[in-house]
Each structure stands twice: as structure tokens, then as C-alpha cells.
């Protein structure tokens, strides 16, 4: 399939990735902000993709794409183009001059010109349909499919919508400035013209998990601190145990990567808001104000799951969220949560808010970790009365990109 002018044009002019960024108004603005850009940028290259262990930023733009190309070489070209663009944007550069020829679209959409990178990270994943679709080896890559990249199956609490699920490729763009995150995905979609089309997307605000030990725990839209016992990206041993794929992976190219599960979880806000404080705290198993477990005084106190009330029932109820989600009751399983709040206006059917949690989780094995935990939660969790999972995705997130390389290079 012919590639559009803007995709090939900026790469050819840039000598295959250097971008020729020393020209044009966009480059001049970026150069003028070089010091600020360096101070606020997250390295793009490394052993693992940025945006996983990275301290969670304030804003999210998550998007999935469906491929319209037919050959492995076209897929490789798209991933190369995206890699070059992502490396530029995460450093605070445009993907090309915002000005240029009057008879052609500019190479960069321009809305982020003059803005610092705002700790932008772009994390990419591949869906199962890249490797096999309808029983066919779509791009001749089926033999290289990561071992655990297979459907999660039906899970309790699912009310999934096809229009908010699946996809061939995904990108998680996180930044401290919503314009910067939007600009990143918008330019990827523009570069992909003729090769991929957007399938679905989700804007997120207000991180709901701490992913570094230096971050405080944020609150979700139910008003509770969320992810108190989350893994921390700067805990190397825990990341190796629970997040990074190791030598057990037969697809050697994928070692050092991770699996991403995305879940759009709608909160039934109006129902929750009519519940008493006591019911809310019993549902979660924590005090709303402090975040402490009902058996403790401080947020990070270890919940005493054996503590009993005078009537013999548990202080933390049998169906409390923190009991059912705790690693102690899930065989020691952990996942790295990286979620965001969202709001998408009013449900036209009910007239109620369409708002909740866009849940992102990274792990070594999504079936043994996320799916196993979710089955337990979906069947027994008291929180299930107030939420419904409306969207889902599973993606293999390749290992990090070396300077001069490109996304998923080992796959080819």
C-alpha cells in the first residue's frame, strides 16, 4: 500500500530518523527551551520501555490502532517511523517543522510547539491479532508470538463493549501536560495514515496509583486512596519477579518486555454517592479519610485479615476489596498498577455520569496474575455492586529500544 507524503516525507528529509530538527520554527522554539526540555524529559531509550517503571505522570492519552497494511515489511516500516517520532517528542522536539511548504500539510501538528516535554513517555504494545487473526498467520509472525498473548476469556463483572476493546497496536502516552500527551498520539495517528487507523482511545486525568516509592497515594473518583500497596518501579527485585518477562519466555525477542492489561472500569457514581460512609468503608476495607485499613491507624499499616469483631465476623469483611485483592490472599501475586480517572460525559440512556477508572496493569503473565485476581474479585468483591468493566485490552509490550534501533526490532 502506498505510504502517504507526510510519513515518508519527514523521514526522507531527515535522513532516516535524524529529523533535520535544526530548521523551522518548531525546532527554533524547542532549541530555545533546551534546558527546560532536558530537565523535564524521560529517557526514551533503555533496557525497558519508559512509562512502566517511570513515576506516574498526571495525564494519560491511551489509544489503540487497527492495521490496514498487509505485509511484514510495511509493519516494520510503521514501527520504525513511530520509534523515530516518539524519540523526538519525548525529548521535547516536534516530528518536523510546523511550517514548510504551503502546498502540503506541515510535518508536525503544532499544538505542542514551545511546550517542554512534561515528562512525556510513550509505551507501545502489540495485540494478539498482529500475530494471528481469524486463524491466519497475518504477517508471518505467528511463530514469534509471546507465550501468554492469548485472550483473557470472560471474567466476572464484564460488560465489555467491542468498540472499547482490542486492537492491533496500542500506545500509552503519559505526561504532566494534557496537550503534550494529546499531541503525541495525534502525530502517531497522522504518521500512520495509510497503514493504521484509530480503533478506540481514552483520556485520563489524576493518576490513581503511585509507581515510585517517592510518590504519595492518590485518590480515585470514589474518594478512596487507590493502589496503596502497589509495586514500585524503583524496586528492581519486585519488578523482576512480577513485571519483566524473563527466561521462561520462549519468544526470545520478547524477554525484558511485559504484558499490559487495560480495563475501562465504569463507576456507578450516583449509587456510590447514596451509600453511607460506613458501607463505603466496609466495601473497601479502609477508612476513607486516612486510607488506613480498618484494623490500623495509618495508610501503610499492614491489614490484619484475621482480626475479629465481637460478633465473630472479620473487622475487614470477607468480601472487602482489600482482602480479596491482597497478595496474601492471592498466592503472593502482584501486578504493577498504573491507572487514571476518566469522565466521558453523561450516559444518554440513564442520564448518569459516565466516569470511573481506566485501569492499566503490567505483569509477567496476565493469565496467572491479572485474570486470576480479577476472577476472585469479580465473584466475591463487594465493590462489584458499584462498578462494571466496559472495555478491555491485552498487549505484549516489547522490551526497551536501543539507540539506533526501533520498536520490536527483534521480532523481525
Amino acid at each position: 500500500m502506498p505510504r502517504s507524503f507526510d510519513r515518508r516525507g519527514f523521514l526522507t528529509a531527515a535522513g532516516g530518523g535524524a529529523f533535520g530538527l535544526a530548521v523551522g520554527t518548531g525546532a527554533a522554539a524547542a532549541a530555545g527551551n533546551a534546558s527546560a526540555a532536558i530537565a523535564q524529559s524521560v529517557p526514551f531509550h533503555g533496557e525497558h520501555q519508559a512509562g512502566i517503571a517511570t513515576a506516574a505522570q498526571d495525564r494519560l492519552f491511551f489509544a489503540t490502532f487497527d492495521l490496514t497494511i498487509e505485509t511484514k515489511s510495511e509493519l516494520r516500516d510503521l514501527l520504525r517511523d513511530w520509534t523515530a517520532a516518539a524519540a523526538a517528542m519525548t525529548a521535547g522536539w516536534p516530528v518536523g517543522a510546523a511550517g514548510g511548504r504551503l502546498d502540503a500539510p506541515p510535518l508536525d501538528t503544532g499544538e505542542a510547539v514551545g511546550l517542554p516535554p512534561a515528562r512525556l513517555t510513550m509505551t507501545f504494545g502489540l495485540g494478539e491479532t498482529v500475530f494471528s487473526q481469524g486463524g491466519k498467520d497475518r504477517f508471518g509472525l505467528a511463530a514469534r508470538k509471546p507465550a501468554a498473548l492469548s485472550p483473557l476469556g470472560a471474567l466476572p463483572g464484564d460488560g465489555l463493549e467491542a468498540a472499547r476493546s482490542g486492537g492491533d497496536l496500542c500506545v500509552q502516552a503519559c505526561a504532566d501536560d494534557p496537550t503534550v500527551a494529546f499531541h503525541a498520539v495525534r502525530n502517531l495517528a497522522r504518521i500512520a495514515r495509510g497503514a493504521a487507523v484509530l480503533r478506540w482511545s481514552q483520556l485520563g486525568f489524576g493518576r490513581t496509583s503511585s509507581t515510585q516509592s517517592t510518590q504519595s497515594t492518590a485518590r480515585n473518583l470514589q474518594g478512596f486512596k487507590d493502589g496503596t500497596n502497589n509495586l514500585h518501579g524503583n524496586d528492581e527485585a519486585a519488578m523482576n519477579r512480577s513485571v519483566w518477562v524473563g527466561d521462561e519466555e520462549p519468544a526470545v525477542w520478547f524477554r525484558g518486555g511485559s504484558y499490559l492489561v487495560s480495563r475501562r472500569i465504569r463507576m456507578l457514581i450516583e449509587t456510590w454517592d447514596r451509600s453511607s460512609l460506613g458501607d463505603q468503608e466496609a466495601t473497601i476495607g479502609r477508612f476513607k479519610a486516612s486510607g488506613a485499613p480498618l484494623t490500623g491507624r495509618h495508610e501503610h499499616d499492614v491489614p490484619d485479615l484475621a482480626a475479629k469483631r465481637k460478633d465473630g465476623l472479620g473487622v475487614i469483611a470477607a468480601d472487602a476489596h482489600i482482602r480479596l485483592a491482597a497478595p496474601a490472599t492471592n498466592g503472593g501475586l502482584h501486578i504493577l498498577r498504573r491507572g487514571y480517572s476518566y469522565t466521558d460525559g453523561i450516559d444518554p440512556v440513564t442520564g448518569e455520569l459516565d466516569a470511573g477508572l481506566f485501569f492499566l496493569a503490567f505483569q509477567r503473565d496476565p493469565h496467572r496474575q491479572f485474570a486470576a485476581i480479577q476472577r476472585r474479585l469479580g465473584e466475591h468483591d463487594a465493590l462489584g455492586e458499584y462498578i462494571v468493566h466496559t472495555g478491555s485490552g491485552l498487549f505484549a509490550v516489547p522490551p526497551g529500544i536501543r539507540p539506533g534501533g526501533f520498536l520490536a526490532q527483534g521480532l523481525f
Side-chain angles (χ1 to χ4, degrees):
M1 181 177 293
R3 306 173 76 201
S4 61
F5 165 82
D6 51 337
R7 291 183 68 227
R8 176 52 65 196
F10 84 77
L11 290 166
T12 301
F19 280 93
L21 292 173
V23 297
T25 57
N33 290 312
S35 297
I38 292 171
Q40 298 185 57
S41 63
V42 176
F44 176 74
H45 299 101
E47 182 180 1
H48 308 291
Q49 287 196 58
I52 304 174
T54 309
Q57 303 94 319
D58 291 333
R59 300 285 181 153
L60 165 78
F61 191 0
F62 186 88
T64 70
F65 294 79
D66 284 336
L67 294 166
T68 58
I69 51 180
E70 298 178 353
T71 68
K72 181 168 66 175
S73 62
E74 289 175 309
L75 174 59
R76 182 182 59 218
D77 287 344
L78 173 62
L79 297 181
R80 279 177 169 160
D81 292 359
W82 273 7
T83 300
M89 290 188 287
T90 54
W93 298 97
V95 298
R101 290 172 47 181
L102 296 180
D103 61 347
L107 298 180
D108 187 278
T109 54
E111 69 271 27
V113 170
L115 296 177
R119 296 198 303 128
L120 172 67
T121 55
M122 300 176 70
T123 312
F124 297 89
L126 312 177
E128 183 190 19
T129 47
V130 169
F131 300 89
S132 177
Q133 187 176 45
K136 296 181 179 180
D137 188 352
R138 189 176 178 189
F139 296 108
L141 298 171
R144 294 178 174 268
K145 186 178 79 167
L149 189 60
S150 59
L152 296 173
L155 296 171
D158 279 356
L160 302 182
E161 303 168 17
R164 301 183 190 272
S165 301
D168 292 331
L169 304 174
C170 78
V171 59
Q172 170 196 272
C174 296
D176 290 329
D177 185 324
T179 301
V180 171
F182 175 84
H183 169 262
V185 176
R186 180 183 179 187
N187 274 283
L188 291 186
R190 194 175 183 285
I191 291 166
R193 189 173 300 153
V197 294
L198 278 166
R199 178 181 176 89
W200 58 274
S201 66
Q202 184 67 61
L203 290 168
F205 65 92
R207 64 173 179 84
T208 60
S209 294
S210 57
T211 56
Q212 292 278 329
S213 56
T214 55
Q215 290 184 309
S216 60
T217 308
R219 295 180 185 270
N220 61 28
L221 295 185
Q222 291 175 322
F224 279 77
K225 292 192 172 186
D226 202 341
T228 291
N229 293 319
N230 195 27
L231 285 181
H232 289 145
N234 52 351
D235 186 338
E236 185 175 347
M239 294 292 286
N240 286 333
R241 282 194 306 270
S242 301
V243 178
W244 307 130
V245 171
D247 293 342
E248 79 284 356
E249 172 59 60
V252 176
W253 73 272
F254 189 60
R255 293 174 184 173
S258 189
Y259 290 96
L260 167 62
V261 173
S262 66
R263 303 285 282 188
R264 184 180 186 271
I265 305 174
R266 181 177 176 183
M267 295 177 176
L268 307 179
I269 297 291
E270 288 81 1
T271 302
W272 178 259
D273 288 346
R274 290 193 294 268
S275 300
S276 68
L277 175 60
D279 284 345
Q280 290 184 4
E281 292 184 337
T283 296
I284 302 299
R286 292 186 179 276
F287 293 109
K288 192 168 189 176
S290 67
L294 297 182
T295 57
R297 299 179 60 189
H298 306 287
E299 178 192 350
H300 293 285
D301 289 347
V302 177
D304 183 356
L305 300 179
K308 301 292 184 182
R309 304 185 316 195
K310 291 182 179 179
D311 60 7
L313 297 176
V315 176
I316 297 175
D319 59 357
H321 181 72
I322 68 165
R323 176 185 291 275
L324 295 171
T329 57
N330 286 284
L333 294 175
H334 287 81
I335 54 178
L336 177 67
R337 300 178 55 177
R338 195 180 170 87
Y340 288 82
S341 295
Y342 79 84
T343 180
D344 285 334
I346 306 300
D347 185 320
V349 176
T350 64
E352 297 181 340
L353 285 169
D354 183 354
L357 170 68
F358 193 70
F359 177 91
L360 297 160
F362 293 88
Q363 62 252 283
R364 289 179 69 156
D365 186 330
H367 299 277
R368 190 177 65 86
Q369 292 170 269
F370 170 79
I373 295 170
Q374 179 56 31
R375 285 192 186 94
R376 183 178 176 86
L377 290 172
E379 291 171 354
H380 306 290
D381 190 0
L383 187 59
E385 180 181 350
Y386 302 101
I387 62 174
V388 59
H389 291 233
T390 59
S392 182
L394 171 61
F395 302 93
V397 177
I401 303 160
R402 306 294 184 181
F406 65 92
L407 176 68
Q409 184 170 352
L411 177 60
F412 300 94

